Amino acid sequence: MKNLVFLTSMVLALVSGLSCRCVSCVNKTAPACTEETEVECLGDECMTVFQYINDDGNVTKSIFKGCPDEGKCNKEGSITVGNNKFLFYAECCKRDLCNNQTYQLPANNTRLNGKTCPSCYTVNGTEECVSAKDVACTGSENRCFIYRALIILPDGTVGNYSAKGCTNTFSCEVNFDAAIGVKEIKRDYLWC
Ligand SMILES: *[C@@H]1O[C@H](CO)[C@@H](O)[C@H](O)[C@H]1NC(C)=O
Ligand SMILES: *[C@@H]1O[C@H](CO)[C@@H](O)[C@H](O)[C@H]1NC(C)=O
Ligand SMILES: *[C@@H]1O[C@H](CO)[C@@H](O)[C@H](O)[C@H]1NC(C)=O
Ligand SMILES: *[C@@H]1O[C@H](CO)[C@@H](O)[C@H](O)[C@H]1NC(C)=O
Ligand SMILES: *[C@@H]1O[C@H](CO)[C@@H](O)[C@H](O)[C@H]1NC(C)=O
Ligand SMILES: *[C@@H]1O[C@H](CO)[C@@H](O)[C@H](O)[C@H]1NC(C)=O
């Protein structure tokens, strides 16, 4: 019986992977958590997500700590729309409570990479925004995108957003859902 229990837990461990204790917290509006708890995660990794949003000069830094999200580990997101910049970095580590880091600004590669994209941004418009001017892409931003959705921003404002600009491959792959504190209620359109 003892052997059977042992065998069963071995099999379960193999099937479900290892487990890891991780720091858990989120702060949508500041680069540090005031209250951290512990969470048990499947697999042997913990994750921290660092986020930087520059909204026409209004900078918001956010942090998330918890269980790893499949496919986001050690990926960087980068989006430029007009004067707005969105940077995102998900770092994963292997050890109990290893995700105890303090905020690190996501890789700040502001070097122009030669690509340009039509760019515009509207709130509460039902139509696709119209670009009057191209924006210069930076760093890993290798694609243009068009996005329209009803979303909630970290500050709680709800609106029908329409945006065009530069993005990198990863930001497009995760469908913009990676952003901390941003909740997409209904998507109308995404093209990269
Ligand atoms: C986020 O950080 C701010 C500033 O340090 C703090 O006042 C607030 O309580 C934090 N929020 C959470 C959810 O940790
Ligand atoms: C920055 O945020 C403040 C407070 O939310 C707002 O009043 C101001 O208009 C914002 N500035 C820009 C440039 O968006
Ligand atoms: C994170 O934990 C390690 C040991 O587990 C410790 O050495 C390190 O100082 C901690 N870092 C922070 C930022 O708390
Ligand atoms: C990147 O670095 C430049 C130059 O140091 C600075 O002006 C800019 O604000 C930084 N951008 C981000 C997103 O950190
Ligand atoms: C968008 O319109 C709704 C309904 O008219 C309004 O409540 C909301 O504040 C608007 N959002 C923004 C960001 O302007
Ligand atoms: C977003 O657009 C839909 C469809 O036009 C509309 O019904 C809804 O009220 C809008 N929401 C906001 C917050 O503006």
Side-chain angles (χ1 to χ4, degrees):
M1 190 59 195
K2 212 170 181 181
N3 279 340
L4 187 63
V5 170
F6 176 71
L7 202 65
T8 307
S9 48
M10 278 283 290
V11 169
L12 278 179
L14 283 173
V15 169
S16 63
L18 306 161
S19 82
C20 197
R21 280 187 303 131
C22 299
V23 177
S24 170
C25 75
V26 62
N27 197 329
K28 299 172 190 176
T29 55
C33 293
T34 42
E35 277 179 42
E36 296 189 331
T37 55
E38 266 182 47
V39 67
E40 188 87 22
C41 300
L42 285 179
D44 60 351
E45 289 188 302
C46 296
M47 183 166 84
T48 308
V49 178
F50 309 102
Q51 185 176 286
Y52 170 101
I53 296 176
N54 187 334
D55 178 9
D56 241 337
N58 274 348
V59 171
T60 307
K61 294 176 180 175
S62 316
I63 192 164
F64 164 90
K65 296 180 180 188
C67 296
D69 202 337
E70 198 65 47
K72 285 185 189 165
C73 282
N74 307 316
K75 293 280 179 62
E76 176 201 317
S78 186
I79 295 173
T80 301
V81 175
N83 296 323
N84 302 335
K85 193 100 200 158
F86 168 85
L87 298 172
F88 162 98
Y89 179 55
E91 186 169 274
C92 292
C93 55
K94 291 190 183 191
R95 193 165 36 78
D96 279 341
L97 305 177
C98 61
N99 62 338
N100 64 346
Q101 314 99 305
T102 50
Y103 186 84
Q104 307 162 226
L105 194 63
N108 177 10
N109 187 345
T110 50
R111 185 180 302 161
L112 302 179
N113 62 22
K115 189 173 177 62
T116 61
C117 293
S119 184
C120 56
Y121 178 73
T122 57
V123 181
N124 273 349
T126 44
E127 305 281 302
E128 190 171 303
C129 64
V130 178
S131 171
K133 194 164 157 250
D134 281 10
V135 71
C137 305
T138 59
S140 59
E141 294 165 358
N142 57 349
R143 300 173 174 213
C144 298
F145 79 92
I146 301 173
Y147 179 65
R148 270 197 341 268
L150 178 64
I151 60 178
I152 309 179
L153 290 187
D155 67 4
T157 52
V158 183
N160 286 300
Y161 289 84
S162 173
K164 291 182 190 174
C166 306
T167 181
N168 72 347
T169 303
F170 175 66
S171 302
C172 194
E173 278 170 0
V174 296
N175 288 329
F176 297 84
D177 286 355
I180 297 169
V182 177
K183 189 159 160 36
E184 184 180 82
I185 304 166
K186 183 176 170 289
R187 175 176 313 161
D188 290 325
Y189 190 69
L190 172 64
W191 172 89
C192 302

